[in-house]
C-alpha cells in the first residue's frame, strides 16, 4: 500500500471538523433550511390497513385557509395495502394550516380484510395482501452435500428456534426535504445518504435534465439505509413545489417514521446444526420465514431489505439445506438497514452454534476458532478472549449463582465493505489555503473529517488550512453512503488528488517537495490563479472484507426478568485506520444499535386494527445513555490492507453475543428478540398459567415452518413494489 | 387542531368557572398538548393555572408536607426536605420521563394525567375509554396493561406520584365549584376503577390545588420500579412501601403497586399482614400474596405478577434501612 508509514494525522484521534457546529446548533440540517416564502408540506396517510379507494376529493382541502397546493399520490382508483400508505399531500403557509386541512380531504374507500401478523399471514386462508397472490413466497431449497446422511453420522445435533423483530430505522433526524423549483432548475435540500442518487431520482420522476437538478445535504442526522432516495415524501415535496410555484419543506413526523420509511424484516428461524466428535461442523438446516412488509416475494438477497438472509452465515459446514420464505403482511415495507440480513442471520446461527457447543461440552470461543473459515476472525477470537478474560468469566450455562445471574456470550460478523468510484477536486490558493470538494455526504460517520485528515496527511499541512466541502451534487461525484463504503471510496480519491496537487505544485514552484515547510513558498508562486486539480479513486489504497467479533457480559435479574448488559468488547478489523475517533464512534453506534435490537426495539402491530401501536419513541424503545454498557474497542490495525469501512460489521454480532450471554446466564434460551422482562420471565417458567405472553408460540411457528417447507419450490417472483419508493 | 382561546386564571374559583365551557386546565401541558396534537382533545379554551397563588411551593409543616399542584417534578425530586422526609415521593418524581419532562411537568398534572394505553392514544381507534364499545387491549397487545380492574378498560394508572402518595396516605385538595374539598388518593381515582371512560375521579371542572402528605417521626418509605429501559420509560410495575419502624417492627405500613390497575393498588389485608412484623423478605412475600390475590394474568400481562412480588419484597425490605 502506498499509504505513508509514519503519519501525523492518519490513524490518530481527530475530533469531528463539524463537531463544534453541531453541538452549538450552527450546523444546518434539512429542517433548518428556511427559504423566503417557503410553504409547509404534509401527507395524508391511509387509516386502513387494506382498502379499495374509489376516489379522493381534494377540493375542500384546497379551499382551506393558507393551502397553496394539493396533489394526489395515485390517479383514479387504487388499493391501500397498509395503514400509513400515502394518499395525498398538501402545501400551505403554516404547518398547522396544512395539518388541519388534511382532515378536509375526502377519501371514499371500501375497507378490506387484512393481516398484519406473519404467523397468521402464512396460513392458506389468510386475507391476501395482493388479491390472487399467495402471501407466502419462498426460494427453492438450496442444498449442498448429503444433508440427511451428515446429520445421521454426526456426533451431536443441536436445534434452535428463534425469532427476530421488525426493527425501525428511527434516525434522529426524520426523513424530509426542502425543494425549490426556479424556472427550469430544481434544487433540493435533502436529508439523504446519496446526493447523486437523489439528484437522479428527482430528475427522472420530475422529468428534469440531470444537469438542472441540484441536491445538497450539508449535515444529516442518520439514515441507516433508509435515505438512499428521495422517498415518496421527497417526490411529493417536489410535486407540491411545482404545483404551488413556491419552495416547499416537507419533514416527516416521528410517528410517520414508524409507518412508512422502511424497517429491518422480521424472521422466524428453525435451525439445526451438527458436528463431528472433534467439534467440526458437518451439517446445517434452516427453515425461515419473515416479512419485508406488504411487498414480499422478492429475492433481494438481503441487500435491500428482503426477508431472506445469508445462512449458515459465516460458517461452512459441508452439508446444508436452506429454505427461506417471505410473507407479505399489511404493513410498511422494509428497505436496506445497516448490514441488511446480517444481524438476522447472526442471531439464529450463533444461537444454534452455542447450543451445539453446550451439547459437545466445547467452549463457545473454541468452537468458533475451530470452525470459522476467516483467518482474521480466528485471530480476533483469540485476542478478544484474552482481553475479555473469557476463560475466567465463562461458566456452564445457568451455573452463575442467583438471583442476578451473570453470563457471557460471543459472536462474529463478516461484511464485504469495499467502495470505489469517487472523484475529488482540490483547489490550492496562493495564500496556502486548500479547499477539497467531493460530492459525498456525511451519514454521521465523519466523512468530512476523513477527507480533511487524508488531505492534511498527504499535503503535510495543519488541518486548519484545509476546508472540506461535501454534500452537493455539483461537486465531483461520489457514490451513496451505504455498504460501509464511504471511507474506502473517498480516501483514495483524496490521496490521488493530493498526489496530483503535489506534482502540479512542484512544476509551478520549482520546489522539489512543496509539502510542509515549503508549502507557503510554493503556493505563493501561484499568483492570481488558484491551482485546481482532480483525483479519483484507484486500486491499491482500499479494500473490502471486514471481519469482527464481539464479546458480551450480562447480568440478568431472574426475579424481574431485566437484562443489563455490563460490557461489550469489540475486536474489529478495519484495515488502515483513517481516524481513530470517528472509527470508534461508528463502532460505539453499531454496538448501541445492536443492543437495541437485542433488548428493546420492536415494531408492534395490532392484529385487529392493523395499526402500528408504537410508531413513536414513547413505546418504540431505543436505548438511551442509561442503558449503555461499557464498550471496549480493539481495532486490529492492519494498514497493509488499506482502508476498509466498519459501519456495518460492528452492529452485526452485538445482539447475538448478548442473546448468547443471556442464555449462558440463565441456562435456558430466551428465543425471541427483543429480550424483554416478560419474555425472560416466561423462559424461566415464572409467568403464571393462563398468560400467553408476547413470545412466538411453538404451535404458531410450527405452522409457518411447515408452510415454508411445504410450499412449492418456485423461483423467486418479482417484487410487488419497492421500499418507500414512488410507484 | 381546533381553534381555542387562552386565558390565565388568577384564582382557583375563576379557573373552574372559566374551564366550564369545553375547557381544559393548562399547567405543564405535558399530557394536554399531546392530546390536542393527536386529536384526542379539542378544548375550546385553555385555562392557564400556573399563576394561581400558592401552588408553586413546597411547605414543610410539623406533621405534614404540603406540595402545590404547580410544583414541577424536578423541584420535588430535588427538594432536600422532601427527599429526607418522603424519599419514595422524591424518587417517584425523579423516575418520571426525562429531565425535560420533569422540568415542565407538574405534580397536579402527573396525578391527573390521562391513560397512556397505546390504543387510547391512537387517533383512529375509538375504544371504550373514548366512548366506543370495546377495549382493544382485551385480547390484543396488552403487555403494558392491568392485572386488576372492575370495568372493561384495561389501561392502568401510570402516575408515579399516585403510587407514592397512595402508600404515604396523602390527601389531595381540589377546587370544586366555589369550595375546596379534600380527597384521599383512593377517592381521587375510584371512578377509574368502575368507569371505563374515567382516568380519575375528577370532573372536567375540578382542579387539584395541592397535595398534603402526613409525616410522622421515624417515617420511612421506598419507591422501586422496573421498566424495559433504565431511564425515560414507563414502569412495567412500580411499588411503594411506607411506614415507621418501631423496635424493628413495621407500624402504620402501607404498600401500593403502580401500573397494575386503573388505581394505585392497595389491599388492606396486605398492609395488615405487615403491621407489627419485621420488614423481612418472608413477610413481604405474604403481603405480596394478598396484594396479588385477585390478579388476572390475562394474555400478555401475567409476567407482571412475579415482578410485583419481587418489587414488594424489595420495597418492604428497603424500609429496614
Amino acid at each position: 500500500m502506498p499509504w505513508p508509514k509514519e503519519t501525523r494525522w492518519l490513524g490518530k484521534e481527530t475530533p469531528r471538523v463539524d463537531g463544534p457546529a453541531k453541538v452549538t446548533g450552527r450546523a444546518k440540517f434539512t429542517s433548518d433550511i428556511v427559504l423566503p416564502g417557503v410553504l409547509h408540506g404534509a401527507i395524508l396517510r391511509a387509516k386502513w390497513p387494506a382498502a379499495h379507494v374509489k376516489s379522493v376529493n381534494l377540493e375542500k382541502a384546497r379551499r382551506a385557509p393558507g393551502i397553496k397546493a394539493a396533489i394526489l399520490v395515485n390517479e383514479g382508483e387504487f388499493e391501500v395495502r397498509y395503514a400509513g400508505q400515502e394518499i395525498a399531500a398538501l402545501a400551505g403557509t403554516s404547518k398547522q394550516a396544512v395539518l388541519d386541512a388534511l382532515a378536509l380531504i375526502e377519501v371514499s374507500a371500501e375497507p378490506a380484510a387484512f393481516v398484519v401478523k406473519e404467523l397468521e399471514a402464512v396460513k392458506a386462508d389468510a386475507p391476501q395482501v395482493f388479491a390472487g397472490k399467495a402471501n407466502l413466497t419462498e426460494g427453492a431449497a438450496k442444498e449442498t452435500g448429503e444433508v440427511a446422511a451428515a446429520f445421521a453420522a454426526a456426533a451431536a445435533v443441536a436445534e434452535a428456534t428463534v425469532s427476530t423483530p421488525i426493527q425501525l430505522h428511527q434516525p434522529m433526524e426524520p426523513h424530509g426535504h426542502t425543494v425549490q423549483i426556479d424556472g427550469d432548475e430544481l434544487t433540493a435540500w435533502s436529508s439523504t445518504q446519496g446526493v447523486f442518487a437523489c439528484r437522479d431520482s428527482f430528475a427522472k420522476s420530475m422529468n428534469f435534465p440531470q444537469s438542472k437538478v441540484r441536491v445538497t445535504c450539508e449535515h444529516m442526522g442518520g439514515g441507516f439505509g433508509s435515505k438512499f432516495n428521495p422517498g415518496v415524501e421527497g417526490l411529493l415535496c417536489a410535486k407540491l413545489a411545482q404545483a404551488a410555484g413556491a419552495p416547499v419543506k416537507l419533514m416527516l413526523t416521528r410517528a410517520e417514521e414508524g409507518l412508512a420509511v422502511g424497517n429491518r424484516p422480521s424472521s422466524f428461524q428453525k435451525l439445526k446444526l451438527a458436528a463431528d466428535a472433534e467439534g467440526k461442523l458437518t451439517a446445517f438446516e434452516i427453515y425461515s420465514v419473515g416479512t419485508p412488509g406488504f411487498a414480499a416475494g422478492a429475492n433481494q438477497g438481503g441487500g435491500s431489505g428482503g426477508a431472506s438472509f445469508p445462512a449458515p452465515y459465516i460458517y461452512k459446514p459441508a452439508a446444508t439445506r436452506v429454505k427461506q420464505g417471505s410473507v407479505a403482511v399489511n404493513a410498511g415495507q422494509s428497505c436496506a438497514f445497516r448490514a441488511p440480513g446480517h444481524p438476522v442471520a447472526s442471531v439464529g446461527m450463533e444461537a444454534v452454534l452455542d447450543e451445539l457447543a453446550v451439547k459437545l461440552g466445547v467452549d463457545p470461543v473454541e468452537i468458533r476458532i475451530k470452525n470459522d473459515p476467516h483467518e482474521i476472525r480466528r485471530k480476533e477470537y483469540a485476542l478478544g478472549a484474552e482481553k475479555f478474560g473469557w476463560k475466567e468469566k465463562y461458566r456452564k450455562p445457568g451455573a452463575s449463582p442467583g438471583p442476578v445471574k451473570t453470563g457471557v456470550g460471543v459472536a462474529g460478523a463478516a461484511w464485504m465493505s469495499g467502495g470505489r468510484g469517487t472523484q475529488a477536486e482540490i483547489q490550492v490558493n496562493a495564500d496556502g489555503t486548500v479547499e477539497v470538494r467531493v460530492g459525498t455526504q456525511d451519514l454521521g460517520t465523519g466523512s468530512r473529517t476523513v477527507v480533511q485528515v487524508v488531505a492534511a496527511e498527504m499535503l503535510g499541512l495543519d488541518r486548519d488550512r484545509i476546508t472540506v466541502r461535501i454534500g452537493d451534487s455539483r461537486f465531483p461525484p461520489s457514490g451513496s453512503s451505504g455498504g460501509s463504503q464511504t471511507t474506502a471510496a473517498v480516501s483514495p480519491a483524496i490521496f490521488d488528488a493530493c498526489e496530483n496537487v503535489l506534482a502540479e505544485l512542484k512544476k509551478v514552484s520549482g520546489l522539489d517537495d512543496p509539502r510542509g515547510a515549503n508549502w507557503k513558498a510554493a503556493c505563493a508562486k501561484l499568483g492570481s490563479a488558484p491551482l485546481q486539480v482532480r483525483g479519483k479513486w484507484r486500486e491499491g489504497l482500499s479494500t473490502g472484507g471486514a471481519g469482527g467479533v464481539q464479546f458480551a457480559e450480562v447480568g440478568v435479574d431472574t426475579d424481574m426478568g431485566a437484562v443489563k448488559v455490563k460490557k461489550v468488547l469489540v475486536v474489529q478489523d478495519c484495515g488502515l485506520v483513517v481516524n481513530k475517533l470517528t472509527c470508534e464512534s461508528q463502532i460505539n453506534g453499531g454496538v448501541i444499535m445492536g443492543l437495541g435490537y437485542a433488548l428493546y426495539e420492536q415494531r408492534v402491530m395490532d392484529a385487529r386494527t392493523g395499526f402500528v401501536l408504537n410508531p413513536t419513541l414513547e413505546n418504540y424503545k431505543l436505548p438511551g445513555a442509561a442503558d449503555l454498557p461499557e464498550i471496549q474497542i480493539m481495532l486490529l490495525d492492519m494498514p497493509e490492507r488499506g482502508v476498509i469501512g466498519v459501519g456495518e460489521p460492528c452492529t452485526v454480532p452485538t445482539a447475538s453475543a448478548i442473546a448468547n450471554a443471556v442464555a449462558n446466564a440463565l441456562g435456558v434460551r430466551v428465543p425471541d428478540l427483543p429480550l424483554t422482562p416478560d419474555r425472560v420471565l416466561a423462559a424461566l417458567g415464572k409467568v403464571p398459567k393462563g398468560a400467553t405472553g408476547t413470545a412466538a408460540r411453538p404451535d404458531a411457528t410450527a405452522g409457518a415452518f411447515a408452510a415454508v417447507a411445504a410450499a412449492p419450490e418456485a423461483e423467486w417472483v418479482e417484487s410487488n413494489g419497492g421500499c418507500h419508493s414512488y410507484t | 387542531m381546533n381553534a381555542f382561546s387562552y386565558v390565565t386564571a388568577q384564582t382557583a374559583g375563576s379557573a373552574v368557572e372559566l374551564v366550564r365551557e369545553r375547557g381544559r386546565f393548562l399547567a405543564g401541558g405535558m399530557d394536554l398538548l399531546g392530546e390536542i396534537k393527536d386529536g384526542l382533545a379539542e378544548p375550546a379554551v385553555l385555562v392557564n393555572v400556573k399563576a394561581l397563588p400558592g401552588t408553586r411551593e413546597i411547605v414543610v409543616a410539623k406533621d405534614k408536607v404540603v406540595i402545590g399542584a404547580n410544583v414541577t417534578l424536578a423541584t420535588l425530586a430535588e427538594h432536600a426536605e422532601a427527599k429526607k422526609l418522603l424519599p419514595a415521593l422524591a424518587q417517584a418524581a425523579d423516575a418520571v420521563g426525562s429531565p425535560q419532562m420533569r422540568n415542565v411537568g407538574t405534580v397536579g398534572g402527573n396525578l391527573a394525567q390521562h391513560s397512556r394505553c397505546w390504543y387510547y392514544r391512537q387517533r383512529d381507534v375509538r375504544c371504550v375509554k373514548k366512548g366506543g364499545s370495546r377495549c382493544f387491549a382485551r385480547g390484543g397487545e396488552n403487555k403494558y396493561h392491568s392485572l386488576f380492574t372492575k370495568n372493561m378498560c384495561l389501561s392502568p394508572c401510570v402516575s408515579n406520584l399516585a403510587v407514592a402518595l397512595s402508600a404515604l396516605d396523602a390527601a389531595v385538595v381540589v377546587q370544586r365549584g366555589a369550595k375546596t374539598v379534600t380527597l384521599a388518593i383512593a377517592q381521587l381515582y375510584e371512578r377509574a376503577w368502575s368507569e371505563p371512560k374515567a382516568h380519575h375521579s375528577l370532573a372536567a371542572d375540578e382542579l387539584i390545588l395541592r397535595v398534603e402528605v402526613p409525616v410522622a417521626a421515624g417515617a420511612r418509605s421506598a419507591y422501586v420500579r422496573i421498566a424495559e429501559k433504565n431511564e425515560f420509560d414507563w414502569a412495567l410495575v412500580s411499588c411503594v412501601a411506607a411506614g415507621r419502624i418501631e423496635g424493628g417492627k413495621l407500624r402504620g405500613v402501607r404498600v401500593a403497586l403502580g401500573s397494575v390497575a386503573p388505581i394505585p393498588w392497595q389491599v388492606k389485608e396486605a398492609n395488615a399482614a405487615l403491621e407489627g412484623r419485621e420488614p423481612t423478605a418472608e413477610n413481604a412475600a405474604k403481603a405480596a400474596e394478598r396484594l396479588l390475590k385477585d390478579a388476572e394474568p390475562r394474555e400478555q400481562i401475567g409476567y407482571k405478577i412475579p415482578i410485583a412480588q419481587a418489587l414488594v419484597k424489595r420495597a418492604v425490605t428497603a424500609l429496614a434501612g
Side-chain angles (χ1 to χ4, degrees), chain A residues 100 117 606 608 618 622, chain B residues 1 116 119 136 141 229:
Chain A
D100 289 344
K117 300 276 191 186
D606 180 53
R608 290 177 304 189
E618 176 183 354
L622 291 177
Chain B
M1 194 187 294
R116 295 310 309 185
Y119 292 100
F136 288 85
E141 299 294 333
K229 286 168 55 176

Side-chain angles (χ1 to χ4, degrees), chain A residues 539-558:
Chain A
E539 293 279 357
L541 292 160
S542 61
T543 188
V549 307
Q550 296 187 11
F551 296 76
E553 182 179 1
V554 303
V556 188
D557 181 334
T558 54

Side-chain angles (χ1 to χ4, degrees), chain A residues 41-65:
Chain A
I43 298 172
L44 179 73
R45 295 180 180 275
K47 58 180 180 181
W48 313 275
H52 177 72
V53 174
K54 300 179 85 169
S55 66
V56 181
N57 187 343
L58 298 174
E59 287 320 304
K60 274 190 196 157
R62 210 188 291 279
R63 290 198 304 269

Side-chain angles (χ1 to χ4, degrees), chain A residues 360-441:
Chain A
L360 288 164
V362 180
D363 181 282
V365 172
E366 276 171 34
I367 201 168
R368 285 170 173 80
I369 291 177
K370 187 164 287 197
N371 286 289
D372 197 315
H374 196 285
E375 190 193 333
I376 292 175
R377 261 195 317 268
R378 290 197 300 268
K379 191 171 141 195
E380 288 171 339
Y381 280 120
L383 281 172
E386 179 73 27
K387 175 102 175 167
F388 187 75
W390 175 268
K391 282 218 155 58
E392 299 76 60
K393 286 180 178 170
Y394 180 76
R395 273 184 270 220
K396 288 215 159 64
S400 162
V404 178
K405 291 177 178 286
T406 58
V408 290
V410 61
W415 190 249
M416 60 285 225
S417 305
R420 49 175 61 222
T422 292
Q423 298 184 36
E425 178 178 78
I426 298 183
Q427 178 169 314
V428 181
N429 300 309
D431 66 356
T433 58
V434 178
E435 287 174 67
V436 187
R437 291 187 276 264
V438 53
T440 187
Q441 50 283 313

Side-chain angles (χ1 to χ4, degrees), chain B residues 41-124:
Chain B
E42 295 192 322
V45 57
L46 296 191
V47 179
N48 171 23
V49 295
K50 287 193 285 289
L52 296 183
T55 59
R56 286 168 173 270
E57 285 90 45
I58 297 177
V59 179
V60 180
K62 197 163 158 255
D63 57 345
K64 64 182 174 185
V65 177
V66 180
I67 304 161
N70 279 319
V71 169
T72 66
L73 297 166
T75 303
L76 177 56
E78 289 154 18
H79 195 271
E81 282 178 288
K83 277 161 82 170
K84 200 170 118 226
L85 297 170
L86 308 165
L89 186 60
Q91 291 156 8
D94 197 44
V96 175
S98 66
Q100 293 93 329
M101 290 173 170
R102 297 193 289 274
N103 284 340
V104 175
T106 64
V107 167
N110 186 268
L111 291 172
Q113 67 181 294
H114 288 180
S115 165
R116 295 310 309 185
C117 168
W118 51 14
Y119 292 100
Y120 171 78
R121 294 277 163 178
Q122 280 272 344
R123 180 192 293 261
D124 295 314

Side-chain angles (χ1 to χ4, degrees), chain A residues 586-712:
Chain A
Q586 282 191 71
I587 294 172
N588 285 332
V591 168
I592 294 166
M593 187 169 262
L595 176 83
Y597 195 47
L599 300 187
Y600 305 121
E601 297 180 49
Q602 176 175 33
R603 184 188 74 185
V604 180
M605 300 298 302
D606 180 53
R608 290 177 304 189
T609 60
F611 293 152
V612 178
L613 291 177
N614 59 343
T616 73
L617 302 186
E618 176 183 354
N619 285 313
Y620 184 84
K621 300 187 177 182
L622 291 177
D627 304 311
L628 303 189
E630 176 195 354
I631 301 172
Q632 206 172 37
I633 298 169
M634 284 177 85
L635 294 176
L636 227 57
D637 195 12
M638 302 170 85
E640 66 281 5
R641 298 190 67 207
V643 179
I644 307 174
V646 296
E648 283 159 295
C650 62
T651 201
V652 174
T654 313
S656 313
I658 290 171
N660 279 346
V662 170
N664 175 249
L666 299 179
V668 54
R669 186 164 289 277
V670 186
D672 304 285
L673 262 53
L675 309 175
T676 46
D678 59 320
R679 291 171 171 181
V680 172
L681 290 170
L684 289 170
K686 293 196 173 182
V687 175
K689 290 201 169 57
T692 49
T694 60
R697 286 171 27 224
D699 55 331
T701 52
F705 298 132
V708 172

Side-chain angles (χ1 to χ4, degrees), chain A residues 95-184:
Chain A
K95 200 170 170 184
Q96 196 58 52
V98 176
L99 293 177
D100 289 344
L102 287 179
L104 301 175
I105 298 174
E106 296 165 326
V107 183
S108 165
E110 291 165 354
F114 60 87
V115 61
V116 296
K117 300 276 191 186
E118 299 91 327
L119 301 180
E120 292 299 317
V122 294
K123 293 178 180 168
D125 58 352
Q128 289 178 330
V129 177
F130 284 80
K133 291 184 184 172
N135 291 333
L136 178 65
T137 54
E138 25 70 72
K142 290 178 231 162
E143 286 208 26
T144 56
E146 296 294 324
V147 181
F151 273 115
V157 178
E159 295 186 46
T161 301
V162 302
S163 79
T164 59
I166 293 269
Q167 185 182 26
L168 298 173
H169 295 73
Q170 291 290 19
M172 280 304 108
E173 181 193 26
H175 290 62
H177 308 261
T178 292
V179 178
Q180 179 171 46
I181 296 175
D182 191 359
D184 61 352

